[in-house]
Amino acid sequence: MCDQEFSFSSRFKYVLRQTLGIEPLSPGSKALEYFLPSDVKILAKKVDASLEIENFEKKLDSCISEEDSDSDNEAKFNTNLEWSSQAPRLRELLKNRKNWKLAKSENIYSFFHDLSLKGLRIKYLDEEIHRFENVASLNVSNNMLLSIDYLPHKTRILHAYDNQIET
């Protein structure tokens, strides 16, 4: 069994990659962060990171061909979208390449109202969880949490059973 410790945000990005096939364009960069399909991510990385956002989006448009917009890439990914009731809608939106501009990190994080990241060996809820500004229901059960240090500001329902939290 793996003893690796994971943060909430790293496991969220893992779930996005495994179920929707999207991942951050430039991990760790807060200034210009997009979640894009892996094949587009490779093309977009060729864009100079110092470009202004408008120029970046124009360059991104030129990297994305309109053909193949309904590709079979979806078959490569886990189809279980039970981790959020908004996940199927996001998948539908991202099928259309014209919507990829919506994949800015602030849009992705604010898109969700409920998240269920159960059993993913999450050790701690990191400060990045505050970026989920609309999450009202959060389930982090069956993980390895020792404490609850951070929560999304609008969280009203929290499920955190079967963790290692000491009271």
Side-chain angles (χ1 to χ4, degrees):
M1 182 165 148
C2 179
D3 288 334
Q4 190 169 4
E5 296 180 2
F6 296 106
S7 68
F8 178 86
S9 58
S10 72
R11 296 316 272 173
F12 173 75
K13 292 170 186 172
Y14 167 81
V15 167
L16 283 180
R17 184 174 53 253
Q18 295 299 312
T19 61
L20 300 177
I22 62 173
E23 55 188 310
L25 176 60
S26 38
S29 168
K30 302 272 194 251
L32 185 63
E33 185 181 18
Y34 274 72
F35 285 87
L36 295 171
S38 298
D39 57 337
V40 176
K41 180 180 174 184
I42 292 166
L43 292 171
K45 274 193 170 182
K46 296 177 183 174
V47 176
D48 186 310
S50 65
L51 288 176
E52 294 175 13
I53 190 83
E54 185 177 332
N55 292 333
F56 173 82
E57 289 175 345
K58 287 178 184 174
K59 182 67 174 177
L60 182 59
D61 283 339
S62 70
C63 291
I64 300 169
S65 68
E66 284 304 316
E67 59 187 279
D68 193 35
S69 62
D70 288 325
S71 70
D72 292 327
N73 286 341
E74 193 176 327
K76 292 190 285 189
F77 306 109
N78 180 340
T79 57
N80 183 350
L81 299 177
E82 294 176 3
W83 53 271
S84 176
S85 62
Q86 291 79 45
R89 175 71 178 131
L90 182 59
R91 174 181 272 173
E92 287 303 310
L93 285 171
L94 293 177
K95 279 184 181 180
N96 183 343
R97 291 181 184 217
K98 291 179 182 180
N99 292 331
W100 286 355
K101 285 184 184 179
L102 300 174
K104 293 178 188 176
S105 62
E106 65 266 20
N107 295 341
I108 296 293
Y109 288 111
S110 65
F111 191 81
F112 296 100
H113 297 268
D114 61 85
L115 291 171
S116 180
L117 300 185
K118 303 182 295 188
L120 292 174
R121 298 190 319 262
I122 297 170
K123 185 82 172 203
Y124 58 98
L125 303 180
D126 53 319
E127 197 167 354
E128 193 171 332
I129 202 168
H130 290 295
R131 295 177 79 184
F132 295 92
E133 59 191 45
N134 293 316
V135 170
S137 177
L138 178 64
N139 189 337
V140 289
S141 299
N142 301 317
N143 280 294
M144 300 166 36
L145 295 173
L146 298 173
S147 64
I148 306 286
D149 296 322
Y150 302 101
L151 285 174
H153 297 296
K154 292 186 179 177
T155 301
R156 298 294 174 254
I157 300 169
L158 172 66
H159 296 279
Y161 56 87
D162 290 336
N163 277 288
Q164 301 168 7
I165 300 171
E166 296 180 15
T167 56

